[in-house]
Amino acid sequence: MRFLPDEDHRTYAATVRRLLADAEPAKAARAWAAGDQGPGRELWRALADTGLPALAVPEERGGMGWYPSELAAAFVEIGRAAAPGPLVETVALAAALGADPRGGDTAGPWLPRILTGDLLVTVTDPAGPYAVDGYLADAAFVTEGPALHMAVPEGGPLPSIDPTRHLVRCEPATPVESGEPVPGDAARLRSLATLLTAAQALGAGRALLDGSVEYAGRRTQFGRQIGSFQAVKHQLATVAIALEFAEPLLHGAALAVRAQPGGPGPAEGSAGGPGDATDPRDLPAAKAACSRAAHQAARTALQVHGALGYTDEYDLTLHLRKARALHDAWGTPAACHQAVLAGGRFPAVQGEAASGE
Amino acid sequence: MRFLPDEDHRTYAATVRRLLADAEPAKAARAWAAGDQGPGRELWRALADTGLPALAVPEERGGMGWYPSELAAAFVEIGRAAAPGPLVETVALAAALGADPRGGDTAGPWLPRILTGDLLVTVTDPAGPYAVDGYLADAAFVTEGPALHMAVPEGGPLPSIDPTRHLVRCEPATPVESGEPVPGDAARLRSLATLLTAAQALGAGRALLDGSVEYAGRRTQFGRQIGSFQAVKHQLATVAIALEFAEPLLHGAALAVRAQPGGPGPAEGSAGGPGDATDPRDLPAAKAACSRAAHQAARTALQVHGALGYTDEYDLTLHLRKARALHDAWGTPAACHQAVLAGGRFPAVQGEAASGE
Amino acid sequence: MDLEFTASEHAFREEARAWLAAHVPARPLPSLETAEGFAAHREWERVLYDGGWSVVSWPRAYGGRDATLTEWLIFEEEYYAAQAPGRVSQNGINLLAPTLFAHGDEEQLARVLPPMASGETIWAQAWSEPEAGSDLASLRSRAERTERHGGGWLLSGQKTWSSRAAFADRAFGLFRTDREQERHRGLSYLMFPLDAEGVTVRPIGRLDGKPAFAELFLDQVFVPDADVIGEVGQGWRAAMSTAGNERGVTLRSPGRFTASADRLIHLWRSRQEPADSRDRVADAWIRARAYQLAGYAAASADPAGSASGSGSRPGGSGTSVASADSSPGAGGTASPFASSMNKVFWSELDIDLHETALDLLGPGTSEVTEGLPESAWMDGWIFALAGPVYAGTNEIQRDIVAERVLGLPRGR
Amino acid sequence: MDLEFTASEHAFREEARAWLAAHVPARPLPSLETAEGFAAHREWERVLYDGGWSVVSWPRAYGGRDATLTEWLIFEEEYYAAQAPGRVSQNGINLLAPTLFAHGDEEQLARVLPPMASGETIWAQAWSEPEAGSDLASLRSRAERTERHGGGWLLSGQKTWSSRAAFADRAFGLFRTDREQERHRGLSYLMFPLDAEGVTVRPIGRLDGKPAFAELFLDQVFVPDADVIGEVGQGWRAAMSTAGNERGVTLRSPGRFTASADRLIHLWRSRQEPADSRDRVADAWIRARAYQLAGYAAASADPAGSASGSGSRPGGSGTSVASADSSPGAGGTASPFASSMNKVFWSELDIDLHETALDLLGPGTSEVTEGLPESAWMDGWIFALAGPVYAGTNEIQRDIVAERVLGLPRGR
């Protein structure tokens, strides 16, 4: 067993991290929030140039293979940078199209243009029920059981607690034109979206912790750095511990997603033999743990920063707000807990009760 | 409205407190744990001399009326002193016998001898399912719906986490001799037992907080009092706040119990008119809040005392162990939460699932 | 001991309920943190005032109805149960007015209070500075003596996190009048207009982007002597009486939480009573009820007290902190620091209650969905998030509880 | 990155599982905190030893099988899944042995380790003193030089909370050999017999009354030079390597928690899967699994390391703290203070897991019901309660995480 990221993996994550650090993602996020997609699209093209979406698509469909671990590592960095846009959804859709069980080139024009970074698409599922960036994306999809349909966003865009997420109601079963399902693997889509949302949450949590530690060392009150107060220290230590132990679950979840059957992509993961310790429960476990750790990090960041952490203009609050939005996206805590106790299977419609009274 | 203990009430509580402080209750508790009932019986007789059980029994049955608020205040002191024995059960049984719906003197020989402090009795209900001090008490009872039966303890005494509680399995429907129900008001019994258990828990929590504060001011490590560490301070402040806000619920619960219909005792409580803010939900709320605060106090006491708080011989651990036992007695947290959401009604059999696999 | 309202308390409740039923707007007003919403909420203050309900606990002379603390609690219960609009005047009514009652003079009371009661003047608070947040005593903004315009003070410096300041009329705060003195000595409590020469207001957006507070840049802003509250150099004492109030029941009345808890139970029922939320829903109700009962106990302990001056009526003893802060425990110790316990208790309850609601609403509704029924929960959650931070962080409150209530050694 | 065990790791697991299935007593042994139970557990250690399973990670020369850290994790998983008895030798194996591997000499290893492995000698720890609990550096018990009996030391003073000492054979601890030096200078690490002249053992009951630890009164107890571990005066360094170990994975192996979490899920199912416990049950499993995966990551980071010496085999580098404490995060930073994170994590998990079980069992089962199936949960709960306190309180561990991992300013 070697349950550690290998050299390639770490190199790739570092590349993504550097790219994002140089690209002023907070500015892109604020522009995106204001409806200006320019900087966000540019960022996505740069990410696509690193091969990001290609890591979700088999070679015979124009991609590089099936690399959930490396994708998760990249989305930790995307979360750390608070990069805007439906990136999780776009990559997850690419994975679904690439894994079209019917094979061949039936997926329409989207896949090649996602791989080049020209398209951003969104997708939701009945548990959503909102699609993120429904009007800004180039296409919208909705899953229904094992099937995938196109969708038309309905109604006005709704503001989110995360201003970079423009929500649109997007009920299932609104296929355009023919109503024919889009050929794609919806199960793979949901799994990858859950994994990458967890990764993004973990990255947001890391950024919140780092920013809070930095601020606590800088800010003085009562004649001393606030980070020298034991109450502040212990809150930050608690967050550090929560993030530290969420991370191995994320890695485990990536292996579980890699090993998932069904897609045509080369399952480089384990053969599921007797010596295999991958566990499908790691996916909901990772989503719950990463979301929770990020949420704790956000609450603590607010407490450490005081009123500053409650303001729109402070960059760290981009992460703070995203943490709450990601908490419920692609698997609420309750749905994840149910899935853990059901051997890894998510309830049929996540959060069905939420769809109305 | 005057939602404050009046002069008589406070005077009585102070009397009980003084009596217990002078009576070396910890020694009595240790003797009781070892099976020596002498000092515990003496303590109970002294408490009975103050009129304690009489506060649960109407005048026409030899008591002083129906005073749940004053009883609760006394049991806060009993909890603070960690006095041993089935005192809650004895007083609650007296209330049930005194409120015999058929009236008259059908309750047998127990009531007069409870009022004089000569008898200690125990009682449990199907949710128990253990009776505390089943072999030490002079008689054992079990409730079944609205009915009350005598019971015979079965099987060996079981050790409890609270060494002063000698548990005996005591299933329902084991009436002796005739099998006739004992004439008494089982609903009143359960309500009062719940109230007084909550009161006892609150008192235990107060003692745990006081003892921890005292120790934290006395113990030095790293060259300073441990109570000067912010981490210790905040844990103790959190406990103080939990106890402080459990107390008004206990008072509210006492008024709700006082106002409960059904017993022949003079319901001095409200007429339930439009200006009446008593609420039957306060009883389960108080049990949940007092138990929880006491549990928090116990956990914090352990943390503040370190290994000392983990030892049998340190008196404060009598409270620490009782806090966990009271947590589940006469209404688990889950049952209390259900009752709060059901308008104050406890689920038919509290914790039914616990009765076995 | 009882929980029975008197006939007059009961009648008071009925009157309040009937009035609110007739007057509360059918549709929620726009957010008071917007220009449009601010104006709408100012109008609502006028409606309240005309009905005699804007400042129930004040003396009649200033627009109130001399309500007792118990009656004030009743009014607040009814107000929040009726889902009436948020109070745009709350800085003035809850923070400034108690200080005026305790430390102001007759002229100030007569001049300041009626337009505050009617919504004609909306007040912002101006406590924090960039280097003085929790550590308020370290503030640097100064007031320098001038004899111009009949005598007064020139304010200079910077204030921040000034809530309501984006749209309000006037503000109050502490300024250093004696630069030789350190920390909380040499501070004075002043009121000043936000449209005066020398004032620059830079709105700051909170988490939802709305300008719920602002930075104030002050450059030689003139304040006449008449707008100093209490004695020059004694501002800290006056401010502390306000701070106690801010943490106590009067800023976050129990009625706010009992109404929210009832709505939470309603939400839980509407979602088919999911058992995995039962503990959290019940716990929210229990804690809201505990806070309500603690309020009744505090009111019972101080039956003559009005909510306005936290027990100190005009001309009262001035020991307003101590009397405002009588212990919430019905049997309890009358601690002057109970307001610290209150503040920790309600602020953590408020967040837990709203988090539970958001979890019940499920995905998609962790989003602000204005115009949808869920939006109230999201707005409430954002509002609640500030609770453990402002009016003295909960860390500081726990220090106070540990050191002053429990008597633990002072920290280092 | 993978989670696949090698063929030899898999074979190791199968062998362990088969052996445990054949040898674990069908009925639980009596509590090891009683004289009878202590003897029974000592016998079990012998059975383990004879099967080659008592110290799997040690070198074969001392009774082990040279298992890697990954294999040790596997063994522990199988051990706890099989509900095998608690390890009465754990003080020796987990605390003393790593110190010996790092700081002992060949003679000591050869003399001390084999009887430790076989259960012939059971060790107690003797760290704390009445005035030195969390603040271990302030200890006062002293060792004075003597030239009698060929040269050695005379121990005097008092130790307390000495676990296993009520029934054990020997003990190890720190003593002040240089009274001129303060705090952690001038301390030496010594081993001594509990039946020696001058030793008085006073058992102390823990919460369930059982004598799980003892006070030791030492009056001129002779210890030969051969029983000093490492250099005289360098005991603090040796002890710290043990302390790191005590907090790290080796004292509380992930297998213990994954087995408990599986049993908790089983219990939950047997109670008809109450939905109001679902979040807590799932959370316990998630945290146990996280700890397990963190252990795999740590083992992967140090594939050559054995569990015995925390990475420092006999003759190894001696930097045992650093290598034992490699970060649990699979992608993570190799922090030498990860053991502090581990300790907080498993100790709080352990309590929450057992509290959840007790709540599932319901009333009556918050009682110790020996002989009934519930008793294991109650015993486990009592055991878990000590977790946040011993081996450095969680308060101290959080200070370490904050200051040394996060780099926050030192406290005052």
Side-chain angles (χ1 to χ4, degrees), chain A residues 19 37-53 87 113-120 138:
Chain A
L19 184 157
Q37 296 193 45
R41 290 270 182 179
E42 203 176 312
L43 199 55
W44 168 238
R45 247 174 248 114
L47 287 167
D49 283 347
T50 70
L52 182 65
L87 308 190
R113 296 188 61 209
I114 289 173
L115 291 172
T116 57
D118 288 335
L119 290 190
L120 278 173
D138 301 302

Side-chain angles (χ1 to χ4, degrees), chain B residues 59-275:
Chain B
E59 288 182 47
E60 63 270 29
R61 304 295 304 279
M64 295 169 68
W66 177 228
Y67 293 95
S69 295
E70 288 74 4
L71 285 168
F75 272 85
V76 170
E77 300 308 327
I78 286 168
R80 196 194 303 271
L87 308 190
V88 162
E89 289 74 13
T90 298
V91 173
L93 190 84
L97 299 178
D100 172 12
R102 284 179 260 173
D105 204 5
T106 58
W110 301 292
L111 188 52
R113 297 187 61 207
I114 289 174
L115 291 173
T116 57
D118 288 336
L119 290 190
L120 277 174
V121 298
T122 191
V123 61
T124 187
D125 72 5
Y130 304 105
V132 64
D133 299 321
Y135 287 112
L136 285 71
D138 301 301
F141 298 82
V142 61
T143 69
E144 193 179 7
L148 188 60
H149 293 274
M150 286 205 72
V152 191
E154 295 179 336
L158 301 161
S160 159
I161 177 60
D162 176 355
T164 70
R165 290 165 71 89
H166 302 270
L167 301 176
V168 181
R169 190 168 283 276
C170 196
E171 297 287 350
T174 54
V176 283
E177 294 159 306
S178 73
E180 276 294 292
V182 177
D185 182 341
R188 171 167 286 203
L189 185 155
R190 277 191 292 262
S191 294
L192 192 63
T194 300
L195 175 71
L196 301 184
T197 303
Q200 208 181 352
L202 185 69
R206 289 265 178 223
L208 286 161
L209 175 62
D210 291 349
S212 300
V213 167
E214 189 271 327
Y215 184 77
R218 179 158 53 85
R219 169 78 169 173
T220 60
Q221 288 281 274
F222 304 102
R224 51 192 278 200
Q225 294 154 291
I226 62 170
S228 72
F229 285 99
Q230 203 180 24
V232 172
K233 281 184 191 176
H234 283 202
Q235 288 181 52
L236 291 169
T238 300
V239 169
I241 292 166
L243 292 166
E244 190 73 5
F245 284 92
E247 187 167 338
L249 287 169
L250 182 69
H251 291 293
L255 294 174
V257 169
R258 188 175 71 175
Q260 239 170 27
E268 298 166 27
S270 77

